[in-house]
Amino acid sequence: AMVPAATPTTYLGVARQFVMKAARRGRLSPRHAVPFSSTAPAARARLLACPPPPPAAPGALAHTSRGRASRLLAPSARCFASSASSSSPSVTVDLVREDDAFVVIRGVGHGVPAGALLLDENTGDAVAYVAYNLKDMDPTELRAIALPLSGAASVLEEGRALRLAEDGVVARAPSPDQAFGVGAGPSPSDAEGLPLFNDYPGVDDRQPISENFRTGVKAVDAIVPVGVGQSMLLMGKSGSRKTTLALDVLLAHASNEVEGGFKFVYACDTKDLARVREAVSAAGLESRTAIVTSDAARNSPGERYACVLRALAIAEGVRDAGGDAVVFLDDLSGPVEFWEAVCRCESEITGGQDGMEEMVEVDGMLIARFDALQRQFFSNILQRSARMNDKLGGGSLTLFGLLRGEPMRQDKMDLGVKILKQQNLSAEMREKLLRALAEQVKDSSHSSNSDGGEDSSGRGDRFHVSTRTVEEFKSISDGHILLCDSNVGRGEDTYDIVPSLSTTRLGVGRVAAPEVADLCSSLQLELQQSLDASA
């Protein structure tokens, strides 16, 4: 059914609902019931006032800071001390979430971007940065999630007064010149690096993806080819050799390439660092590879999420300079856990009355507000991949995201439909079969992270992403590859993929290598025919 386009009155009605709900909780007086009308200029200024971001340099890609931030080290913090001024807005630490390793800041305006630095009011040193502005979760409040800088957690106690840094002073990642080379550290060294919180490029900033990216894995290049500037998910249960596949892709681009070819950024856990370094060295790509690490055993989800953003920012630096970057995000569970922690925090603050199930319009569709915000959050990771248009330099960012989890199994869904359609079964027998199928799916979900292997290391279920989240990532990415469960525990360092549950949304004929494009299309057809024959 067609959904009528939203009008300004619709948005005004949604805003009024939020404010009336807050008034009932005693946060606002009833006279603020229409905050965006001309009769409430003070409330409008309180909710919407924010300084505009600094203009981008002529011809440069304009980055808006709607997203996330990264950790800065204490030695870098003092270079921002002079950015505090008496006119900078003052904010307060409202809540310390020790389990989640972040704090809730009150007084942060809706226009304050993620990445904005928070300064100690007494010393002027940077002590934290805004990681997520909560304006979309509750527009009636001025709150934000902030992550402490290294060594500054003890300063962030409840009631502590802080000051926002001046406009444009944000957390930054190293520039490509600082980052590339295996020996280069991932942490920012000065204020001249790249902003960590960038928006993904818009439609007008991109050009169509039509060039093949060679992975060197025959099954991938023939069945689910990857294009330069595409985002591709590598999915599978723990131990299914996702990291092995990613490193094989890197090894396929050994140093026999001409100078100025692809540059690689690999974000991984410290336990995999030695293995990644070995692969980079074997490929002779030391000068063209940056490695960014986090420690899942010690770092919070926010810090692991920041590791992902550092890798993306470095790759974007290459892309925006007209080069071709390839980024590997070896573990996407960090951003997922951080998002879940933010949602838990907001729900506890509002007592569950956050209206996250209210319907909002997104791209002409009505969906729950929680789903819209979650999609926006994850999109700001996967959709950073792009092939930029010629006016912006024509650079590219190709992304491989590794996700420890499994999608909805189509074969189970089909079996359930067949049971329901079977006319010769009694109602009792049909119900019994459906219960058995539900138990089978449930048991498969619980055991999906119990096996050992390269990706488990005894971490347990914490790093396994739910099927619902996997499906969300699938819907955002440009394609996905599912690795077989049979890879787990295999003696040799090989792997198989599930071709029927792997796909590229860009079209095989469009991104396959020209010399094998016809073969790829025929393979797809024969594969589908064999699946239909066995059904």
Side-chain angles (χ1 to χ4, degrees):
M2 295 295 293
V3 178
T7 63
T9 305
T10 304
Y11 291 115
L12 180 61
V14 173
R16 184 181 289 108
Q17 290 177 21
F18 282 123
V19 178
M20 291 301 293
K21 180 177 67 176
R24 288 194 297 269
R25 295 202 300 263
R27 296 187 178 183
L28 293 175
S29 62
R31 66 185 178 88
H32 290 137
V34 190
F36 303 120
S37 71
S38 59
T39 60
R44 182 171 67 253
R46 175 176 177 267
L47 291 175
L48 299 181
C50 64
L61 175 63
H63 289 298
T64 60
S65 300
R66 194 194 302 165
R68 334 294 170 226
S70 174
R71 178 173 58 88
L72 294 177
L73 293 182
S76 305
R78 285 195 170 273
C79 65
F80 300 108
S82 61
S83 300
S85 67
S86 58
S87 60
S88 300
S90 180
V91 297
T92 307
V93 178
D94 190 50
L95 180 65
V96 177
R97 302 271 298 187
E98 293 185 3
D99 292 342
D100 297 319
F102 62 66
V103 296
V104 179
I105 305 295
R106 182 173 294 279
V108 178
H110 290 180
V112 175
L117 289 172
L118 297 167
L119 312 177
D120 186 285
E121 211 168 38
N122 298 323
T123 66
D125 292 339
V127 294
Y129 57 89
V130 174
Y132 187 81
N133 196 316
L134 294 168
K135 63 182 185 298
D136 292 322
M137 290 191 174
D138 190 350
T140 67
E141 294 289 349
L142 302 176
R143 292 197 311 265
I145 301 296
L147 291 172
L149 302 181
S150 179
S154 59
V155 178
L156 300 173
E157 54 191 15
E158 292 184 9
R160 181 78 176 224
L162 304 174
R163 193 168 293 279
L164 282 167
E166 290 181 349
D167 305 338
V169 182
V170 296
R172 295 178 179 271
S175 66
D177 292 340
Q178 298 169 318
F180 282 98
V182 174
S187 302
S189 58
D190 55 37
E192 302 301 322
L194 302 164
L196 275 165
F197 299 104
N198 299 322
D199 219 351
Y200 53 82
V203 175
D204 295 338
D205 298 328
R206 303 170 183 257
Q207 63 174 295
I209 296 174
S210 57
E211 180 183 351
N212 174 256
F213 176 82
R214 181 173 60 89
T215 68
V217 180
K218 293 180 180 179
V220 174
D221 289 335
I223 299 175
V224 279
V226 181
V228 175
Q230 179 177 353
S231 63
M232 179 65 78
L233 285 181
L234 306 182
M235 309 178 300
K237 68 193 310 182
S238 179
S240 56
R241 312 298 172 88
K242 299 180 291 295
T243 299
T244 301
L245 195 160
L247 293 179
D248 282 349
V249 173
L250 193 149
L251 286 166
H253 292 265
S255 58
N256 57 355
E257 289 188 357
V258 296
E259 189 66 27
F262 290 103
K263 290 192 174 182
F264 302 90
V265 184
Y266 204 107
C268 66
D269 190 87
T270 51
K271 75 176 184 63
D272 294 319
L273 178 59
R275 187 179 178 192
V276 174
R277 283 179 180 271
E278 181 181 357
V280 171
S281 178
L285 295 172
E286 294 95 331
S287 63
R288 293 193 292 157
T289 302
I291 301 178
V292 186
T293 61
S294 63
D295 189 345
R298 301 176 57 187
N299 295 145
S300 68
E303 290 172 317
R304 290 163 52 219
Y305 171 52
C307 173
V308 168
L309 295 179
R310 283 199 297 275
L312 288 170
I314 295 170
E316 285 175 324
V318 176
R319 181 200 68 191
D320 294 348
D324 296 307
V326 182
V327 60
F328 298 90
L329 307 178
D330 197 272
D331 186 4
L332 287 170
S333 65
V336 173
E337 287 188 41
F338 176 71
W339 169 251
E340 292 173 349
V342 170
C343 293
R344 283 195 307 269
C345 176
E346 175 67 12
S347 180
E348 292 174 14
I349 290 175
T350 61
Q353 303 297 318
D354 48 17
M356 296 299 279
E357 298 303 320
E358 294 181 63
M359 306 301 289
V360 297
E361 184 193 4
V362 177
D363 296 332
M365 300 180 293
L366 288 176
I367 61 176
R369 190 155 58 94
F370 169 81
D371 294 328
L373 294 178
Q374 177 176 265
R375 186 175 185 83
Q376 180 189 44
F377 184 85
F378 293 145
S379 292
N380 213 36
I381 297 175
L382 294 184
Q383 292 190 12
R384 305 271 271 274
S385 61
R387 167 68 100 180
M388 308 305 291
N389 62 37
D390 293 336
K391 291 182 179 179
L392 295 173
S396 70
L397 193 161
T398 306
L399 186 152
F400 291 89
L402 280 62
L403 200 59
R404 190 179 314 173
E406 296 182 275
M408 181 67 70
R409 293 285 186 166
Q410 193 66 36
D411 51 351
K412 306 291 185 187
M413 297 168 60
D414 291 344
L415 181 56
V417 171
K418 290 178 181 179
I419 293 173
L420 291 173
K421 288 183 176 180
Q422 180 57 254
Q423 301 293 327
N424 297 327
L425 293 175
S426 65
E428 181 181 359
M429 180 58 69
R430 184 181 293 111
E431 183 179 355
K432 182 177 179 181
L433 288 174
L434 288 174
R435 281 201 305 267
L437 177 62
E439 287 298 321
Q440 184 180 358
V441 173
K442 180 180 178 182
D443 292 342
S444 174
S445 175
H446 283 313
S447 62
S448 61
N449 198 43
S450 60
D451 301 287
E454 65 171 14
D455 295 323
S456 60
S457 242
R459 295 185 189 178
D461 291 338
R462 171 188 167 192
F463 299 95
H464 185 82
V465 176
S466 68
T467 297
R468 175 179 176 178
T469 303
V470 171
E471 291 294 324
E472 186 70 54
F473 272 96
K474 279 176 55 182
S475 69
I476 297 170
S477 68
D478 299 323
H480 52 269
I481 298 170
L482 179 64
L483 282 88
C484 290
D485 295 349
S486 59
N487 297 336
V488 178
R490 182 179 294 181
E492 62 273 18
D493 206 16
T494 60
Y495 46 85
D496 300 324
I497 69 170
V498 184
S500 60
L501 296 179
S502 304
T503 187
T504 175
R505 291 188 175 84
L506 301 181
V508 172
R510 180 174 163 187
V511 296
E515 59 271 18
V516 297
D518 293 338
L519 174 62
C520 293
S521 298
S522 62
L523 278 175
Q524 289 276 5
L525 178 61
E526 292 174 9
L527 172 64
Q528 191 58 50
Q529 288 175 338
S530 67
L531 292 174
D532 292 341
S534 62

